[in-house]
Amino acid sequence: MNGVEKAATVAVIAAATILTRFLPFWLFPQGRRRPAWLTRLSESLPYAVIGPQFVVSHPHFTLFMPCARSNS
Amino acid sequence: MTRRDEWMRAARAAFPHTLPVLTGFAFLGIAYGILMRAQGQGLALTACMSVIVFAGSMQYLAAPLFALGFAPLSAFLLTLMVNARHLFYGISMLDRLRGTGKWKNLLIFLMCDETFSLLLNAQPPRGVDRTRFMVCIAVMDYLYWVLASVAGSLLGAVLTVNVAGIDFVLTALFLVIFLNQWHGRAGRWPAAAGVLCSLLCLAAFGAEQFMLPAMAAILAALLVWQALHARREAAQ
């Protein structure tokens, strides 16, 4: 990649990241009625989404699961 | 109290909460700068990635891409897949960011895993404005990452360092947050579901592939649980 292509790649990665961060707020802006299941989900989800971060960062789990070990 | 005093108070209250992230990001950020250097990428690109993208795991994954051919579409799709978990953070934060006014967009932009975890749990002490407290945490975490990756890039130009294993600080942070949630009983079932689904998917798919299936499994488990719950309530 040359300089311009690298800059474009950074921009593309940034755009996709921003999209994943902002999309829920664009889809469900304040004031608009949300479906009940989504409200309930937004109450229980915070407790659940730490799970994957914890599990994957914990050496114990990856050490004793040979198939889970990363190849890099 | 002037506005400046209020920011200072918020910063002082926020700083201790960010210490685990400071430690973790110091090493991970430096390691990222060194990794980019090892891939032949200079300071400008490393700094741009940290300043504009600010998503650690994606930055690590993208490091080798810059040495390959130009493939914007696959970079875009890879980013969407790796960062899909942000959608879940966003849904979790819909109500918690209410009332943050003009700072809301900044908070959303700065919502990395660690900042999300801190904002989920950390409560400002009495007399400290909640929005300012959250902004201080988010901006501090951001600065740690940017400065550490710049330092890593500079270091990587002159020496090779092995910092493997130091990311245990962040594991400890996630464990503490998990235990906090476990103590607040309301979240016990979802927290257990989160860890169980993650373990199963980790065993089935491996560390590099497990995030998306784990998120899907968690979503399915919570939705089924909600449906059963709603039905039980209707029956009563």
Side-chain angles (χ1 to χ4, degrees):
Chain A
M1 278 193 224
N2 62 34
V4 178
E5 288 170 342
K6 281 180 188 174
T9 304
V10 174
V12 161
I13 294 174
T17 304
I18 286 169
L19 190 65
T20 58
R21 283 186 175 144
F22 278 85
L23 198 61
F25 295 89
W26 291 334
L27 289 178
F28 308 107
Q30 256 173 48
R32 187 191 290 181
R33 272 191 62 143
R34 277 182 234 149
W37 63 266
L38 185 78
T39 307
R40 262 180 270 132
L41 190 65
S42 73
E43 284 159 11
S44 58
L45 202 53
Y47 300 104
V49 286
I50 292 294
Q53 288 302 327
F54 170 57
V55 167
V56 80
S57 69
H58 200 297
H60 231 80
F61 296 131
T62 34
L63 273 182
F64 294 106
M65 278 190 227
C67 53
R69 221 171 294 164
S70 96
N71 300 318
S72 58
Chain B
M1 200 159 55
T2 67
R3 194 177 288 181
R4 191 159 164 251
D5 291 336
E6 286 193 35
W7 278 111
M8 285 305 293
R9 273 177 85 155
R12 267 198 297 271
F15 178 66
H17 290 279
T18 67
L19 279 175
V21 181
L22 169 61
T23 325
F25 277 12
F27 287 103
L28 289 175
I30 287 174
Y32 173 67
I34 293 173
L35 173 73
M36 285 290 274
R37 205 47 100 160
Q39 300 277 345
Q41 311 305 339
L43 177 63
L45 187 63
T46 303
C48 272
M49 284 294 282
S50 288
V51 168
I52 306 173
V53 177
F54 185 54
S57 43
M58 185 57 214
Q59 286 180 234
Y60 270 93
L61 271 179
L65 296 186
F66 293 103
L68 307 172
F70 184 52
L73 184 64
S74 69
F76 187 76
L77 293 177
L78 177 68
T79 313
L80 284 187
M81 282 192 287
V82 174
N83 287 340
R85 65 187 188 287
H86 290 152
L87 296 171
F88 293 79
Y89 297 168
I91 293 173
S92 310
M93 280 287 162
L94 282 174
D95 289 320
R96 283 163 212 255
L97 292 192
R98 197 172 274 177
T100 49
K102 61 178 175 182
W103 299 103
K104 190 171 175 178
N105 285 335
L106 180 72
L107 285 168
I108 299 172
F109 176 75
L110 296 180
M111 199 69 73
C112 63
D113 301 320
E114 291 75 11
T115 298
F116 168 77
S117 316
L118 289 181
L119 293 188
L120 212 52
N121 285 273
Q123 290 293 333
R126 273 175 68 158
V128 173
D129 178 61
R130 186 167 159 273
T131 300
R132 290 199 173 96
F133 178 72
M134 293 203 289
V135 170
C136 284
I137 287 185
V139 169
M140 282 174 185
D141 288 354
Y142 179 66
L143 290 179
Y144 301 154
W145 179 254
V146 171
L147 293 176
S149 49
V150 165
S153 182
L154 296 175
L155 266 178
V158 287
L159 63 135
T160 7
V161 197
N162 186 359
V163 288
I166 204 71
D167 43 347
F168 76 92
V169 211
L170 293 176
T171 311
L173 174 69
F174 291 128
L175 177 64
V176 168
I177 286 162
F178 180 77
L179 289 178
N180 269 338
Q181 289 173 337
W182 192 257
H183 285 306
R185 295 180 59 122
R188 210 164 268 197
W189 196 93
V195 168
L196 271 179
C197 292
S198 309
L199 279 177
L200 289 176
C201 291
L202 186 62
F205 299 97
E208 274 157 30
Q209 308 285 332
F210 97 111
M211 188 59 85
L212 274 186
M215 286 293 179
I218 288 171
L219 188 63
L222 292 185
L223 286 175
V224 166
W225 178 60
Q226 281 182 10
L228 292 176
H229 204 70
R231 187 186 287 179
R232 206 181 332 150
E233 274 181 3
Q236 276 170 1

